[in-house]
Amino acid sequence: MAKILVNNSGPLHGEVWISGAKNSVLPLLAATIMTSDTCVIEDVPDLADVSVMKKMLMKYGAKIDDAEEGTIRISTPEIISCEGDRDLVQEMRASLFTMGPMLARHGKIVMPMPGGCTIGRRPIDLHLKGFRALGAEVVEDDENEVVTVTAGPEGLRGDVIYLDFPSVGATENILMAATLARGTTIIENAAKEPEIIDLANQLNKMGARIKYAGTDMIRIEGVGKLSGCIHEAIPDRIETGTFMLAAAITRGDILIRNALPGHVRPIMAKLKECNVDVEVTPEGIYVDARDRELNSTDIKTLPYPGFPTDIQSPFMAFLTTVDGSSVVRETVFENRFMHVVELNRMGADILIENREALVPGGKKLKGAKVRATDLRAGAAMVLAGLSASGTTEISEIYHIERGYENFVGKFKALGADIMKISND
Ligand code: UD1
């Protein structure tokens, strides 16, 4: 199994270019199967999760041309299967994003239960509630761990759907399904993440009639047909946050290019509270943590525009190194503190009480053998390793490769002492 070795690297310095957003690209690709026309998606990062989505769509009948780096041309002249592939679904929970589009285009989807990051119970009840509200029949076969969703003979019809929690995936699935439903759909308490707006923008280019994406009440007027489009994904705000923290934890300075400051406001605000200098310049976001006394702050994760749960573990790694103690509260996922065990192997002494982690701060972390317990936790381990003494050896790095493009290469270019090794 491949591993990443990280040595204390001193202050990182330089520029980094942010890739297209993984969490945008996955639904953007899924949406393309709602038309038989060709769609062109640009700024697609080279990631394991993107490969899984491509394979998933090809099983349904998509034809994909990805010869040009960063661009995917995709057309689905006809649907040849409506069964989700169990292995692919286990590999990536976002395979679920194909349910809404398949239901809209084909009227049926048979989906094995999903896998993905092991960050707590991740039910799909809200997705299914949405499909039911649109008039679909949902049959859950618990024994075989399969869900079958079927539209009636006249297809889907619009309705008002209230989400008990502003789930990103459920909002995206319902949004896609509703574009081809008869009549009007309103999603109440919808997720407001930038990736939802990106998806709505692509769908509108394809001929959908979606209004107010980015608010908690999205309105969709169903249309009879969608057509092709050219669409460029937004930059990855989580990758942006990760490199902001790389500057902070190594007490370095990094100019982050192709970042949208409006998408990372809570991360900028929290870093400033810790006395890190963060400036928005015409070239990008400049983060400078050199020669400064850094202090603690508390973090509470929330749906957008609150502090992103995906940056909780990288930020926690940073908080172990500043003066004073911090409280990190996770409210989005049930069990997203698995990185705490790994950080503690490096001497962090973090305590967990229910959904709060008490981070003592002021630690000189020591290199250790640690695991990337999920995608973002893996990033946190790399950050911790950069600032720790000695060598940190990170296993299970396939999690990192799911969601960060050229992670090791980008860190090397900033002066990090990091390498990927293969133990085969
Ligand atoms: C997406 C992101 C992920 C991010 C998360 C929250 C993608 C590919 N992934 O995941 O990186 O961490 O948003 O910002 O975009 N829930 C239910 N029932 C449901 C659906 C969700 O109870 O039917 C709960 C989940 O268990 C979780 C919370 O809602 O506690 C948030 O999940 P959700 O917003 O759906 O996250 P994902 O779309 O899976």
Side-chain angles (χ1 to χ4, degrees):
M1 290 288 265
K3 291 183 177 160
I4 289 178
L5 298 184
V6 192
N7 286 308
N8 184 301
S9 300
L12 295 193
H13 167 74
E15 298 180 4
V16 64
W17 183 267
I18 296 303
S19 302
K22 169 183 90 79
N23 287 354
S24 260
V25 163
L26 297 174
L28 295 179
L29 288 172
T32 65
I33 54 167
M34 291 198 288
T35 175
S36 53
D37 292 352
T38 301
C39 296
V40 182
I41 314 294
E42 297 173 335
D43 211 0
V44 178
D46 182 12
L47 300 173
D49 271 9
V50 170
S51 303
V52 173
M53 181 57 83
K54 286 194 285 195
K55 283 185 204 154
M56 191 87 187
L57 297 176
M58 285 193 286
K59 297 242 168 183
Y60 297 136
K63 299 189 185 313
I64 292 180
D65 168 3
D66 56 5
E68 189 183 335
E69 194 184 320
T71 298
I72 294 187
R73 286 183 172 71
I74 181 163
S75 60
T76 313
E78 58 173 335
I79 301 294
I80 56 172
S81 162
C82 64
E83 290 189 16
D85 182 287
R86 185 175 292 278
D87 291 342
L88 295 175
V89 176
Q90 294 297 353
E91 224 173 297
M92 183 183 76
R93 180 181 160 87
S95 310
L96 280 181
F97 297 160
T98 60
M99 291 181 83
M102 281 295 287
L103 191 57
R105 166 100 186 254
H106 186 68
K108 184 173 179 184
I109 175 73
V110 182
M111 188 58 93
M113 288 289 126
C117 284
T118 45
I119 48 178
R121 207 170 52 91
R122 293 178 86 176
I124 62 163
D125 55 314
L126 298 173
H127 302 241
L128 301 182
K129 177 181 175 177
F131 297 147
R132 283 195 183 97
L134 295 174
E137 183 193 40
V138 176
V139 178
E140 294 177 70
D141 177 350
D142 291 340
E143 199 178 323
N144 296 306
E145 299 185 320
V146 170
V147 179
T148 303
V149 188
T150 319
E154 297 191 1
L156 302 172
R157 50 154 175 70
D159 203 345
V160 177
I161 300 160
Y162 171 78
L163 294 181
D164 303 82
F165 183 88
S167 153
V168 175
T171 302
E172 290 171 341
N173 243 334
I174 298 164
L175 181 62
M176 291 189 275
T179 57
L180 289 174
R182 278 171 296 123
T184 305
T185 299
I186 293 184
I187 310 176
E188 293 182 342
N189 198 28
K192 296 182 282 196
E193 270 68 1
E195 293 78 18
I196 307 277
I197 303 177
D198 203 20
L199 175 61
N201 285 342
Q202 172 176 314
L203 291 167
N204 283 341
K205 284 183 192 169
M206 294 170 74
R209 296 178 63 196
I210 301 165
K211 280 187 175 169
Y212 317 129
T215 76
D216 59 7
M217 207 197 69
I218 305 178
R219 196 171 83 194
I220 306 126
E221 302 285 344
V223 296
K225 185 175 178 295
L226 294 176
S227 44
C229 69
I230 301 177
H231 186 78
E232 183 183 337
I234 56 172
D236 196 312
R237 64 194 166 94
I238 306 303
E239 189 192 15
T240 303
T242 304
F243 281 102
M244 291 168 81
L245 285 157
I249 199 169
T250 64
R251 310 299 190 258
D253 68 310
I254 300 178
L255 176 65
I256 303 168
R257 291 188 180 271
N258 196 35
L260 288 176
H263 291 177
V264 288
R265 294 223 179 276
I267 310 169
M268 294 199 293
K270 283 289 158 185
L271 280 172
K272 284 180 185 172
E273 279 180 24
C274 298
N275 199 32
V276 175
D277 186 27
V278 183
E279 281 171 36
V280 175
T281 75
E283 287 77 36
I285 302 175
Y286 178 64
V287 183
D288 187 358
R290 292 171 302 172
D291 307 321
R292 305 169 77 89
E293 295 294 318
L294 301 184
N295 53 268
S296 61
T297 191
D298 295 339
I299 299 282
K300 180 180 179 185
T301 67
L302 285 170
Y304 192 87
F307 189 91
T309 172
D310 285 354
I311 289 294
Q312 183 252 103
S313 51
F315 212 105
M316 193 188 293
F318 164 62
L319 290 175
T320 63
T321 67
V322 300
D323 280 345
S325 55
S326 312
V327 178
V328 175
R329 184 168 172 74
E330 173 62 53
T331 76
V332 177
F333 286 107
E334 265 178 24
N335 181 22
R336 206 172 198 180
F337 282 144
M338 283 174 308
H339 50 279
V340 166
V341 175
E342 309 303 317
L343 286 172
N344 283 349
R345 282 187 220 283
M346 301 176 74
D349 289 335
I350 300 165
L351 289 176
I352 299 176
E353 276 179 18
N354 301 317
R355 292 178 87 161
E356 285 184 352
L358 312 174
V359 186
K363 297 289 176 187
K364 301 259 179 275
L365 297 179
K366 293 183 291 293
K369 289 188 178 184
V370 293
R371 292 186 309 135
T373 50
D374 69 46
L375 164 56
R376 308 304 173 186
M381 291 310 128
V382 170
L383 296 184
L386 290 170
S387 74
S389 59
T391 302
T392 299
E393 183 180 310
I394 305 162
S395 59
E396 299 178 35
I397 61 165
Y398 52 87
H399 283 300
I400 299 176
E401 290 168 347
R402 282 188 39 216
Y404 285 98
E405 185 176 49
N406 187 22
F407 201 51
V408 168
K410 287 187 183 184
F411 272 103
K412 270 192 180 156
L414 293 167
D417 183 351
I418 180 170
M419 67 171 138
K420 179 176 165 182
I421 53 162
S422 213
N423 276 7
D424 299 342

